[in-house]
Amino acid sequence: MSYNRRSRLITQGVARSPNRAMLRAVGFGDNDFEKPIIGVANGHSTMNPCNAGIQPLTDRAIEALKEVGAMPQVFGVPTVTDGIGMGTEAMKYSLVSREVIADAIETSVNGQSMDGVLIVGGCDKNMPGGMIALARMNVPGVFVYAGTIKPGKWKDKDLTIVSVFEAVGAFAAHKMDEEDFVGIEKHACPSTGACGGMYTANTMSSSFEALGMSLLGSSQMACPDPEKADSAALSARVLYNAVVHDIKPRDIITKKSIENATALIMATGGSTNAVLHYLAIASAADVEWTIDDVERIRRKVPVLCDLKPSGRYVAVDFHRAGGVPQVLKILLDKGLLHGDCLTITGRTLAEELENVPASPRADQEVIRPFDKPLYNEGHLAILKGNLSPEGCVAKITGLKNPSITGSARVFDSEASCMEAIMARKIKDGDVIVIRYEGPKGGPGMQEMLAPTSALIGQGLGETVGLITDGRFSGGTWGMVVGHVAPEAFVGGTIALIEEGDSITIDAHRLLVQLNVSDDVLAKRRAQWKPPAPRYTAGLLAKYARLVSSASRGAVTDKE
């Protein structure tokens, strides 16, 4: 019974009788104390569609664990939803919730000495929060994604939640009538499940297949479909096997498997947030990984999938076309994956992909053949320069020319920038600067989906640049640069920009540059004073005191 941490605490001697008595109250019988206790981290919430469909998946997983001889114990995990909080003060809690989720899972699993944990989550931060916890604890675990939402429809056009944000800008610019504006809002979210494009939730869940911590083919299923619940049950059985054979997360989460996950993110056109989250996951697993590694992978992996936000298709289309296994097999066949990496099944990634065809089917256009990519190189470029010496992240797909030099329009918060955009004060050639929204300054690195979508809706996506020490939604596209580090709150160069300064964003040269002399910058720096913290008590204040730079993953448990 070496696999059972809890049984050693509850079966040895008279001193353990109180422990057994407590467990009898929740359903343990005489024959159950030798069984492995497997936690089920339940992210169910009726507050958002991403997590509202989780309970049936949890129920199927519990049933499967009992069938194979485990004792499942369920505990709740909090979640917040970016799509609801976006553009409000509530959005400051989004990235913070990643750490809260990780801490909650670690507390429950280690606090009760569970032998393994099956994590079921839906919205964006559920995935990295859960994986950070697994990497920290190194207790056998598997991640079960709640599944994607089905696309909405309005006048024969597929919709996602981003359609609504873009409609706000178009309606404000008088480029959309009220009928379409209201129709899009009412029909964008027709089912449970996470946002339907290759946004952050689908990016992270699909990358967990490549990482080896979720079952292949499971991440892009629609939440309401029966196959999603079947996958949850299968995941539970696989986890039991991992517990019995002592397959731990750090056996799976290695530098090579993170390279696999990053390659999948590039090939599918995934979210900028994945850069931040994998820095944090690597940190939790004690794997050496930097943003320079991201750039290294980007240069050799093409974008193969035509997926929203910058492409045409949604996650359910991707799943029908062959999904993550198909893309992974293409990359493996071209020598761009480490096929020898272990997966949660106990088999290698190459073994798991053995029966997947090397080329995508000809009857679909979602996944391109390797020799006909959407883009020859990956889309998440790491830019550096005097504006961000630690590096920042640009998403360069969907742009005719990922380069701009323009005059700075400076805003010290997302809200003030949004007011200017909606008042039509932003013009072609401007470079918007949104600062003091970084990990410490925000705090919490708000996502800038509202302003970026409004710019798209007004037809300015190709002609206006935007840089920020905050983040972007996975639904964002355009001339945007986020995660600028050092951030403004700690005196990064972004804090020294003045209205009208010339700024260059050039993805070709991997450059983000404030075109101001060193002497002028030195004078400005001497005059700069750090602002007072926006919060002095509570969770956000505690987070601001602990959090690291975005270039290190915005983690809170390491200096």
Side-chain angles (χ1 to χ4, degrees), residues 231-422:
S231 174
L234 180 58
S235 297
R237 291 191 285 271
V238 167
L239 173 59
Y240 179 80
N241 181 72
V243 171
V244 170
H245 292 92
D246 201 29
I247 300 172
K248 294 187 173 75
R250 292 195 188 190
D251 300 327
I252 299 170
I253 305 172
T254 64
K255 186 166 186 175
K256 288 166 67 174
S257 70
I258 293 176
E259 287 184 351
N260 287 348
T262 304
L264 188 279
I265 291 162
M266 294 297 176
T268 55
S271 168
T272 54
N273 285 304
V275 176
L276 190 77
H277 295 327
Y278 268 101
L279 288 167
I281 291 166
S283 175
D286 285 333
V287 171
E288 291 187 10
W289 185 257
T290 71
I291 57 174
D292 293 327
D293 290 308
V294 176
E295 179 61 28
R296 173 172 56 82
I297 300 299
R298 182 191 75 82
R299 292 181 180 182
K300 60 183 182 180
V301 177
V303 178
L304 297 175
C305 298
D306 190 1
L307 294 167
K308 289 180 181 293
S310 56
R312 293 178 291 167
Y313 297 101
V314 295
V316 292
D317 301 320
F318 181 38
H319 182 57
R320 284 193 293 265
V324 173
Q326 180 63 82
V327 175
L328 289 176
K329 185 58 177 279
I330 295 170
L331 296 177
L332 179 67
D333 191 56
K334 299 301 180 181
L336 295 173
L337 283 187
H338 302 287
D340 58 341
C341 286
L342 183 68
T343 74
I344 187 62
T345 66
R347 289 155 48 91
T348 66
L349 185 61
E351 288 172 334
E352 289 292 302
L353 294 169
E354 186 176 3
N355 296 322
V356 178
S359 299
R361 299 196 319 266
D363 64 346
Q364 56 80 43
E365 297 181 342
V366 185
I367 305 171
R368 301 283 193 95
F370 190 83
D371 59 354
K372 295 180 181 178
L374 217 60
Y375 303 95
N376 290 325
E377 293 183 337
H379 62 300
L380 300 180
I382 304 301
L383 311 187
K384 292 185 178 181
N386 69 347
L387 238 174
S388 187
E390 291 181 16
C392 53
V393 186
K395 191 173 187 178
I396 59 176
T397 48
L399 296 171
K400 297 185 180 104
N401 180 23
S403 174
I404 187 174
T405 295
S407 297
R409 301 296 310 280
V410 183
F411 303 93
D412 288 348
S413 69
E414 180 193 17
S416 59
C417 174
M418 191 63 182
E419 290 176 6
I421 293 172
M422 298 306 288

Side-chain angles (χ1 to χ4, degrees), residues 162 187 542:
V162 176
H187 294 87
K542 178 167 59 175

Side-chain angles (χ1 to χ4, degrees), residues 187-237:
H187 294 87
C189 297
S191 74
T192 57
C195 300
M198 191 48 68
Y199 310 146
T200 305
N202 283 329
T203 295
M204 295 307 298
S205 62
S206 62
S207 75
F208 285 177
E209 292 187 40
L211 187 67
M213 291 296 293
S214 288
L215 299 188
L216 281 181
S218 66
S219 69
Q220 305 299 289
M221 296 172 178
C223 179
D225 289 351
E227 66 176 350
K228 186 68 257 188
D230 293 342
S231 174
L234 180 58
S235 297
R237 291 191 285 271

